[in-house]
Each structure stands twice: as C-alpha cells, then as structure tokens.
C-alpha cells in the first residue's frame, strides 16, 4: 500500500513537471494560441469521456456556440453580461440537477471564452494564475497528506483536509503578494477562489458520479481537474485587470 502511494506521488510529480514545461515553453516562445488550442481540445476530450456530451450533435453545438459567441457576439457585447450569464448558470448547476449538463456546459463555454480573451488583456497574468494554481493544488495535496487531520468538506471532496487547504492558501497568497506584486486583498481573494473553484468542480463531479473528468493527464485527471482552481478566479481577474 505504501509503495503504491509513493509510486502515485512520483507519477504525479513527473506529469506535473511535463505540464509546467509545456506552459513554460508556451510563455517563453509566445505560443499562447497553441496553448489555448491544446486546452480547448483537452476540455472537449474531458467532456466526451465523462459523457457530458449526450451525442455528437451536442458536441458540434458546443463547438459552434464557442465560435459564434467568441468571434461574433463577444466583440459587440460587454464582458459584464458574460459574467452575469456565467454566475446564473453557475448557481443553476449547483441547485438544479435536471439540466445539470447543459448548465455546466454553459459555464465551461464562457469560462474558456474569457480565458482565451484574457490573453489579449494581459497574457502575463494568465500564466501567473496557471503557475500559482499549480502550486496551490500541489501544496494542498502533499501537505494535506503529510499533516493529515480533519477533512474540510468530506461530502464533496473526501481527500481535502484543513491542514492542506490552509497551508496552500498561505503559500499561494504569499507567492502572489511577495513575488508577483499583487496587493494583500487581491492575493487573499485569489487564493480563496482557488479553493472554491476546486470545490465547485468537485461538486459537479459528485453530481455526475465521476471521480475525474478523464485520465488524459494520468494522476492529475483531466484538464478540467487541473484547471479547477482557476475556474472562478478567471472571472474575478476581469474586475481587477
């Protein structure tokens, strides 16, 4: 059992290194659109594997909606409208289960559209968020396993502990404040949203009765499992950029 745990941790570190390497190379060589295309493709894969797409028609409708919204509607519509739409469907996906897949698909669609367009506003902040979210998830995972202690929300995320959550919050807040020059308030809010984004995606997976959206990133799950921390953070950034 202990050998399996060590192997799992080592495997997580190796794939984590691969992920960070791709992000780093994308940043250095200005491959922003390559990174976005890769992420969008992996999101499609996640949604397909987790059977959130009911059929091929649903998949094509999702892709078509992305193209129409991003290239035809968004240029003439205020971003605040998209934020309102997102939070409306975000709340519906939490309290209403009948059309959960449609509500969740809408939030994912708007999330990626804003994620893509944030590169136009400030590409540096996108990479900072990705890097800090990775540090947040990794520190929560390893420190939670090391210190253990009581679970924070076992009904939604059975592996999350208070020790791992508090430790990762402090590490990320300090990183944002001291190394990336965010002020204290923004650093604290972003660090908190990393946690709540994770919990939101975990609650969706719980409702869909799945552990991960896919296993394309091995022990990290799918790309949505990897981006869960910035799922809510990306919207807050629009208020401060």
């Amino acid at each position: 059992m202990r050998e399996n745990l060590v192997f799992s941790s080592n495997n997580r570190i190796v794939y984590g290194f691969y992920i960070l390497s791709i992000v780093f190379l994308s940043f250095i060589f200005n491959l922003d659109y390559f990174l976005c295309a890769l992420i969008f493709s992996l999101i499609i894969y996640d949604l397909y594997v987790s059977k959130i797409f009911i059929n091929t028609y649903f998949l094509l409708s999702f892709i078509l909606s992305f193209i129409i919204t991003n290239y035809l509607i968004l240029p003439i519509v205020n971003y605040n409208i998209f934020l309102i739409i997102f939070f409306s469907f975000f709340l519906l996906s939490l309290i209403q289960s009948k059309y959960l897949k449609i509500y969740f698909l809408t939030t994912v669609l708007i999330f990626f559209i804003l994620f893509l367009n944030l590169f136009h506003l400030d590409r540096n902040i996108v990479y900072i968020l990705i890097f800090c979210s990775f540090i947040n998830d990794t520190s929560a995972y390893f420190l939670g396993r090391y210190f253990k202690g009581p679970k924070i929300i076992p009904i939604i995320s059975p592996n999350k502990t208070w020790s791992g959550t508090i430790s990762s919050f402090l590490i990320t807040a300090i990183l944002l404040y001291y190394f990336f020059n965010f002020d204290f308030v923004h650093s604290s809010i972003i660090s908190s949203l990393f946690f709540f984004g994770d919990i939101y995606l975990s609650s969706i997976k719980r409702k869909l009765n799945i552990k991960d959206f896919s296993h394309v990133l091995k022990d990290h799950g799918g790309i949505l499992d990897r981006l869960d921390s910035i799922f809510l953070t990306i919207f807050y950034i629009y208020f401060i950029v």
Side-chain angles (χ1 to χ4, degrees):
M1 181 69 177
R2 183 178 179 82
E3 290 180 356
N4 290 335
L5 181 61
V6 172
F7 176 78
S8 178
S9 298
N10 290 338
N11 200 30
R12 187 180 180 91
I13 292 172
V14 170
Y15 274 89
F17 174 77
Y18 290 155
I19 295 169
L20 277 182
S21 296
I22 292 173
V23 173
F24 178 74
L25 291 174
S26 175
F27 175 74
I28 294 298
F29 295 105
N30 294 311
L31 301 175
D32 300 345
Y33 287 107
F34 164 78
L35 182 64
C36 287
L38 178 61
I39 290 175
F40 186 69
S41 300
L42 293 177
I43 286 176
I44 295 295
Y45 180 77
D46 277 5
L47 296 174
Y48 173 77
V49 170
S50 56
K51 298 180 180 179
I52 294 176
F53 288 128
I54 298 174
N55 50 40
T56 304
Y57 174 76
F58 212 165
L59 168 62
L60 294 176
S61 297
F62 180 83
I63 297 174
L64 183 62
S65 297
F66 164 73
I67 295 172
I68 293 174
T69 305
N70 189 59
Y71 295 104
L72 297 180
I73 299 177
L74 190 60
I76 61 174
V77 175
N78 193 296
Y79 275 107
N80 291 332
I81 294 178
F82 277 82
L83 295 177
I84 293 172
I85 294 174
F86 167 80
F87 281 110
S88 297
F89 281 92
F90 166 76
L91 292 174
L92 284 170
S93 64
L94 288 176
I95 64 178
Q96 171 64 261
S97 298
K98 186 175 181 180
Y99 300 107
L100 172 62
K101 292 183 179 181
I102 295 176
Y103 299 148
F104 180 62
L105 275 174
T106 304
T107 61
V108 172
L109 177 65
I110 299 174
F111 160 76
F112 185 75
I113 288 172
L114 295 181
F115 177 84
L116 175 62
N117 283 275
L118 190 57
F119 275 106
H120 295 298
L121 296 177
D122 189 342
R123 70 183 296 267
N124 291 333
I125 202 170
V126 178
Y127 287 103
I128 289 173
L129 287 180
I130 294 174
F131 174 72
C132 289
S133 69
F134 187 89
I135 296 298
N136 182 273
D137 289 347
T138 304
S139 58
Y141 176 81
F142 285 105
L143 293 175
R145 286 195 166 197
Y146 180 79
F147 292 110
K148 298 184 179 180
K151 309 294 184 180
I152 187 167
I153 311 180
I155 193 171
I156 295 177
S157 186
N159 295 322
K160 282 197 176 302
T161 62
W162 280 100
S163 60
T165 300
I166 293 174
S167 299
S168 62
F169 169 83
L170 292 174
I171 290 173
T172 310
I174 292 171
L175 190 63
L176 287 166
Y177 182 77
Y178 282 103
F179 291 92
F180 295 114
N181 299 317
F182 285 76
D183 65 32
F184 176 79
V185 174
H186 292 325
S187 298
S188 300
I189 292 176
I190 291 172
S191 296
S192 298
L193 288 175
F194 282 155
F195 167 75
F196 287 111
D198 191 328
I199 292 300
Y200 170 66
L201 269 294
S202 294
S203 69
I204 295 298
K205 288 186 287 185
R206 181 69 61 176
K207 287 186 175 185
L208 295 173
N209 197 32
I210 56 176
K211 183 179 183 298
D212 294 310
F213 286 102
S214 75
H215 294 287
V216 68
L217 302 178
K218 299 301 180 181
D219 286 358
H220 290 270
I223 193 66
L224 286 174
D225 299 290
R226 186 73 272 171
L227 294 177
D228 55 3
S229 295
I230 66 172
F231 202 83
L232 296 180
T233 311
I234 210 80
F235 300 93
Y236 176 73
I237 293 298
Y238 273 88
F239 291 104
I240 66 176
V241 170

